[in-house]
Amino acid sequence: MRADRLVSLVLLLRRRGRLTADTLARELEVSTRTVLRDIEALSAAGVPVYAERGRHGGFALMPGFRTELTGLNHDEALALLTAGSGRGEQAFGLGSALASAMRKVVDALPEGHQAAASDAAQRFLVDPETDLLSRRLVTEDVPDTTMIEVRRAVLAGHKLRIHYAATGRPPQWRTVDPIGLVTVRDRAYLLATRSGEDRTYRLSRVLAAEELPEPAQRPDRVDLDRIWRERSARFLSGSDHITVLVRVNPARREDLLDTALTVRAEEPDADGWLRLEVTFQDSRHAEWALWQLGMDAEALAPQSLRTTLRDRAAAIAARYGDSSS
């Protein structure tokens, strides 16, 4: 909304001083022409913003100008700044909204506390890209257009039509009743029902989405934490699921995790590889996933899976072993 953008523009100028139109456009994710129109609107509304010409010019506010944003003490602002510093800032497509909110948080503090809160927030790091073992955490991207439609349907309580690509199946359109959104370790999920049955959809597998005008069939109040626990418990206790103990080259860890349903345990092995206990949908899923990793993984248990992979490898070797035939 334009009103929110105008507030963000003022807060940027208050926080960082003189800024060029190009810089403001990048920060606000709009065109330079839109920034110039917003500057004119602010001036017409009485906000003391002025332009400085020349090589180091730009737009600035008259010294001493303050907006009327109050109500946060130092610790409250620090908590919000710290929460906003993590890599989860893009969760549910709200990254730009979070950036705008953080500017308002800083501006809401008494002038003498602004620098102290910003400096303090720099002392905290939330969810870095790698852990102490240099294992990179991969964030799944969801297109903004898809995320906006999903988020609107969840908040408005409308039915949602999604084009979903389940593992090992061709994408299909389906209409669901959205309940809520959950993010876990940089993966986002849509909790919904379909024809009255519980469904959980990984947002990175939603290829397209459309909010429908019909109201969703769902309760007025919801306890997402309880629902997530219940669905997680049912998921882990699936009758066809198979738990596999596997050794994997650290360079292929993410490839393994991208195909596994869950990771129950993980520890380094003696030779520098990793030893993981992971769950797959069924034995066929486990066989397919480990076959993709070739010599970079070894199934240690169950023995039935080792036998299946051995027989498959032997059949391939037999087919290609004698070039003369």
Side-chain angles (χ1 to χ4, degrees):
M1 295 177 61
R2 192 186 188 198
D4 291 335
R5 191 175 68 243
L6 293 176
V7 172
S8 293
L9 195 157
V10 171
L11 294 178
L12 277 170
L13 294 177
R14 272 191 42 78
R15 179 69 180 152
R16 294 166 56 180
R18 186 188 308 114
L19 295 173
T20 66
D22 288 342
T23 300
L24 289 167
R26 285 195 303 271
E27 291 285 345
L28 299 173
E29 300 179 354
V30 296
S31 66
T32 302
R33 180 176 297 181
T34 297
V35 168
L36 296 178
R37 287 200 300 264
D38 288 348
I39 292 291
E40 291 180 2
L42 289 173
S43 296
V47 177
V49 57
Y50 66 95
E52 291 188 1
R53 308 294 179 185
R55 180 180 177 185
H56 301 291
F59 296 100
L61 294 169
M62 293 294 290
F65 176 76
R66 276 191 66 83
T67 54
E68 297 298 324
L69 293 173
T70 59
L72 290 176
N73 62 36
H74 177 275
D75 285 347
E76 290 170 340
L78 177 58
L80 290 174
L81 288 171
T82 301
S85 68
R87 292 168 56 250
E89 63 183 12
Q90 297 300 327
F92 311 135
L94 295 172
S96 59
L98 179 61
S100 174
M102 291 303 99
R103 289 191 287 268
K104 295 176 183 179
V105 167
V106 173
D107 198 82
L109 291 172
E111 193 162 345
H113 293 170
Q114 292 179 4
S118 295
D119 291 344
Q122 295 177 14
R123 303 291 178 178
F124 301 148
L125 178 61
V126 180
D127 287 337
E129 291 189 358
T130 59
D131 61 17
L132 285 176
L133 298 178
S134 297
R135 295 174 300 195
R136 187 176 182 83
L137 302 177
V138 179
T139 302
E140 297 183 336
D141 293 326
V142 181
D144 288 343
T145 53
T146 299
M147 192 65 253
I148 289 172
E149 289 294 310
V150 173
R151 193 173 66 234
R152 284 176 176 170
V154 169
L155 297 179
H158 289 167
K159 287 184 179 294
L160 180 68
R161 188 166 177 258
I162 59 175
H163 195 210
Y164 191 72
T167 303
R169 301 177 186 174
Q172 292 183 342
W173 285 97
R174 57 199 72 187
T175 299
V176 303
D177 295 299
I179 295 174
L181 294 168
V182 176
T183 179
V184 182
R185 296 183 180 89
D186 294 321
R187 290 180 177 177
Y189 299 88
L190 167 68
L191 305 188
T193 60
R194 184 182 178 205
S195 300
E197 299 292 330
D198 290 345
R199 294 289 186 269
T200 302
Y201 300 101
R202 196 156 149 184
L203 286 181
S204 62
R205 295 175 181 159
V206 177
L207 307 180
E210 177 188 2
E211 178 191 4
L212 302 178
E214 295 90 349
Q217 301 298 313
R218 66 181 193 181
D220 293 333
R221 300 183 64 84
V222 64
D223 184 348
L224 282 184
D225 187 54
R226 177 185 57 79
I227 293 174
W228 181 256
R229 289 198 308 270
E230 292 174 352
R231 294 195 181 187
S232 296
R234 289 200 301 269
F235 181 79
L236 291 174
S237 62
S239 57
D240 294 332
H241 291 178
I242 180 174
T243 299
V244 177
L245 181 61
V246 57
R247 294 174 65 253
V248 64
N249 185 331
R252 303 297 301 277
R253 174 184 181 272
E254 294 303 326
D255 294 330
L256 173 64
L257 298 192
D258 281 343
T259 57
L261 296 178
T262 59
V263 179
R264 294 176 175 268
E266 178 177 355
E267 63 182 8
D269 210 359
D271 59 359
W273 279 30
L274 299 173
R275 185 179 290 243
L276 294 93
E277 186 178 337
V278 294
T279 303
F280 292 101
Q281 188 79 38
D282 50 35
S283 57
R284 287 186 61 190
H285 180 202
E287 177 188 347
W288 173 85
L290 293 176
W291 186 259
Q292 309 308 307
L293 298 177
M295 297 298 294
D296 287 322
E298 178 190 0
L300 302 177
Q303 182 59 45
S304 59
L305 178 60
R306 288 178 59 88
T307 300
T308 299
L309 290 170
R310 182 200 63 201
D311 292 346
R312 184 173 184 177
I316 293 291
R319 173 164 296 183
Y320 292 102
D322 186 357
S323 58
S324 61
S325 61

